[in-house]
Amino acid sequence: MHAFDVVSSTPHLSPARHLSSWPRPARLAFTLGLALLAGWCCERIHTPLPWMLGPLLATAAGCMAGWPLQSSRTLRNAGHWAIGTALGLYFTPQVVGVVVRHAGGILAGIAWALSLGLAFGLLLARLNRGTPGLDAATTYFAGAVGGASEMALLAERHGGRVDLVASAHSVRILLVVLLIPFGFQALGLRGLDPFVPGPAQVHGAGLVLLIALTCVGSLLLQHLGKPTPWVLGSLAVAATLTASGIELSALPAWMTHLGQVFIGVALGTRFTPAFLRTAPRWLATVAAGTLAMIALCAGFAWVLARGMGLHPATVLLGTSPGGIAEMCITAKVLQLGVPIVTAFHVTRMAAVVLLAGPLFGWLQRRGWLG
């Protein structure tokens, strides 16, 4: 008998079918309980980013095993808000000056991301010839180093296969989020470019005002239809306040931990049993290409870091093919140039979202995408 069947009133009911009979709030509570337990276990065994990677791996494994685990867009937004606000508190006037001095390197990172994404898309097209429904839009937007939802939407607008684009970004983010933090921990890369947030203490009234202002900023960007509004809106408001010398409050540690849990759950629940059956050759080539991109980014980061006077680990986090929330969390936890990494990813994300569509049209008109 399966261990889970002990708590079931129907002895032969599988865990997945048992959970599927629960109402949505109960499944969400179960998922969060599982995620928190996984985060606590990872913290006890000293894994990197325990409160994000533990929930991510636990929920991904459960979902691929057929468990109907439940995510929540509201909680995902709350996680993005917590991370965006925490990152914004690093942008003191002195730090803003440091970021501005490195503007040239950050612009180089944008050009690198666009070139890397194009090369990855061309590689996917070459390695997956003969896959049903595969076209230039699918491979191009699957390879683009941008947000999964934004790239899937652009692919749909241009007639691409949304399922293949979404699965490609899921595999890429999973591999980057796992390999880079564990690799850094194995190499002892921690605290090499430390920056200290402006506010150092939690103040009740200031925290309430900080929450209110950052939520207003996020809601405004959401209303305007901007990408990842709960990261960028809270980040923009918190950074503006901090850069202006207004220090309302620090964020309690439990808020940033919960933010990581919510983001881990949002990532993990993308993986379903059907995911494993989605064009195995496609997923294998995406995984291989992602490993190649990480290696290329490491070489690029080493060269760029020498010119910027930063540690290569910081520049690798800034130029790696990971998402803004995941890479900036990594920088924060490992104390590796948080504002520099954030600036790399914010500018890159804006550039990719704005330029990926027009660049695709330009390349397609010239017949360069096949």
Side-chain angles (χ1 to χ4, degrees), residues 165-295:
V165 173
S167 64
H169 285 282
S170 296
V171 169
R172 174 175 60 83
I173 295 297
L174 178 65
L175 288 176
V176 172
V177 168
L178 289 177
L179 294 177
I180 290 183
F182 276 103
F184 279 13
Q185 177 169 290
L187 295 172
L189 298 175
R190 184 186 183 95
L192 300 174
D193 273 334
F195 286 82
V196 179
Q201 302 293 327
V202 176
H203 303 286
L207 178 61
V208 171
L209 182 56
L210 177 65
I211 292 172
L213 292 175
T214 50
C215 284
V216 167
S218 297
L219 287 169
L220 176 60
L221 289 193
Q222 182 172 271
H223 176 71
L224 295 174
K226 302 302 180 182
T228 55
W230 287 89
V231 174
L232 296 185
S234 58
L235 170 62
V237 172
T240 300
L241 291 171
T242 307
S244 302
I246 301 172
E247 299 183 356
L248 297 176
S249 173
L251 279 190
W254 64 266
M255 280 191 177
T256 56
H257 288 167
L258 270 183
Q260 293 178 51
V261 170
F262 296 156
I263 291 172
V265 169
L267 291 173
T269 49
R270 291 181 185 177
F271 296 87
T272 64
F275 174 84
L276 296 175
R277 299 190 295 272
T278 301
R281 181 181 177 185
W282 170 258
L283 296 181
T285 54
V286 168
T290 300
L291 295 178
M293 282 202 295
I294 294 174

Side-chain angles (χ1 to χ4, degrees), residues 90-103:
Y90 280 87
F91 284 83
T92 62
Q94 295 79 11
V95 167
V96 171
V98 173
V99 172
V100 170
R101 288 200 301 273
H102 293 305

